[in-house]
Amino acid sequence: MAPMRVVVLVSGGGTNLQSLLDAGWTGALGAAEIVGVISNKPGVRALERAAAAGVAARVVDHRGFAERAAFDSALKAEVQSLGADLVVLAGFMRVLTETFLAGFEDRVINIHPSLLPAFPGVKAQAQALHYGVKITGCTVHFVDAGLDSGAIISQAAVPVLDDDTEESLQARILAEEHRLLPAAVADLAAGRVRREGRRVHRVL
Ligand code: GAR
């Protein structure tokens, strides 16, 4: 069977991208193959990680577009030119519109650093600390046109400790992200994920 071609969208450090690349090396991604990385920001560490792994790395700089739809169209063209079967948002800090998502139903996923639906949007770790929750975590979900609102594929919980800072909490969540995201991609590639409305089941 042909591998599932995965394109990863990034905006920054790319530690989640690295977890996917590493999982590719060890075989933990199963039938999925990372075939390209696209950043909306030039010069970020994630692009260096892609280059070091020998994966095609491109930039579609959102600042070059006056309108969101034009950026989404250009981004989609790059994703399609890489022959993507699955698009993974791994620290990609732009909201995608229907312009991008049309034709990609259930083929775009995102990792978010909270237990959604709590704390969507930016600075989820700071939001959790500010609210005072005792447990937070991370979520892998399908992407729809809302803000972190698509059907949930998988979640992992971590404790919030009394002396946590944003940085310490972020590190604890990231460790779980690096486990959860490759596992979700492998499950999708193996056909082990079935969505029925908002409910997503893992089938064997
Ligand atoms: C990760 O914590 C990811 O969940 C978060 O950005 C970080 C990227 O780290 N994404 C969002 O907040 C999306 N709303 P990375 O670049 O090292 O993978």
Side-chain angles (χ1 to χ4, degrees):
M1 205 174 70
M4 174 180 261
R5 296 174 64 83
V6 180
V7 172
V8 184
L9 305 189
V10 297
S11 301
T15 65
N16 277 291
L17 167 66
Q18 193 66 57
S19 75
L20 292 167
L21 294 168
D22 292 347
W25 278 108
T26 64
L29 274 194
E33 185 185 348
I34 311 297
V35 297
V37 172
I38 304 174
S39 174
N40 66 305
K41 283 188 184 173
V44 295
R45 175 91 177 89
L47 290 166
E48 291 169 22
R49 295 179 191 272
V55 171
R58 300 178 185 174
V59 176
V60 181
D61 190 339
H62 66 277
R63 292 169 304 184
F65 300 86
E67 282 166 18
R68 197 174 278 275
F71 168 70
D72 275 18
S73 291
L75 186 64
K76 188 172 191 172
E78 288 291 339
V79 164
Q80 286 173 326
S81 77
L82 289 161
D85 300 310
L86 178 72
V87 179
V88 177
L89 314 190
F92 183 69
M93 304 307 274
R94 308 290 300 175
V95 174
L96 295 172
T97 66
E98 277 300 337
T99 303
F100 183 94
L101 295 171
F104 271 108
E105 284 78 22
D106 291 347
R107 295 200 291 142
V108 185
I109 67 171
N110 178 47
I111 178 109
H112 181 78
S114 74
L115 293 176
L116 290 170
F119 314 132
V122 296
K123 290 189 165 283
Q125 305 90 340
Q127 292 186 57
L129 285 175
H130 186 254
Y131 199 95
V133 294
K134 304 301 182 195
I135 295 172
T136 185
C138 51
T139 302
V140 177
H141 63 94
F142 286 115
V143 173
D144 63 15
L147 180 62
D148 299 321
S149 57
I152 291 170
I153 298 170
S154 56
Q155 293 187 304
V158 305
V160 181
L161 305 182
D162 288 346
D163 60 354
D164 261 336
T165 61
E166 254 177 75
E167 290 71 31
S168 63
L169 182 57
Q170 180 180 33
R172 193 173 308 116
I173 296 171
L174 268 178
E176 290 301 313
E177 293 186 38
H178 297 160
R179 192 179 58 75
L180 205 64
L181 185 59
V185 170
D187 280 347
L188 283 157
R192 287 193 290 261
V193 177
R194 187 183 309 142
R195 184 175 72 78
E196 289 163 16
R198 285 210 60 89
R199 309 269 315 259
V200 179
H201 307 289
R202 190 171 183 276
V203 291
L204 295 176

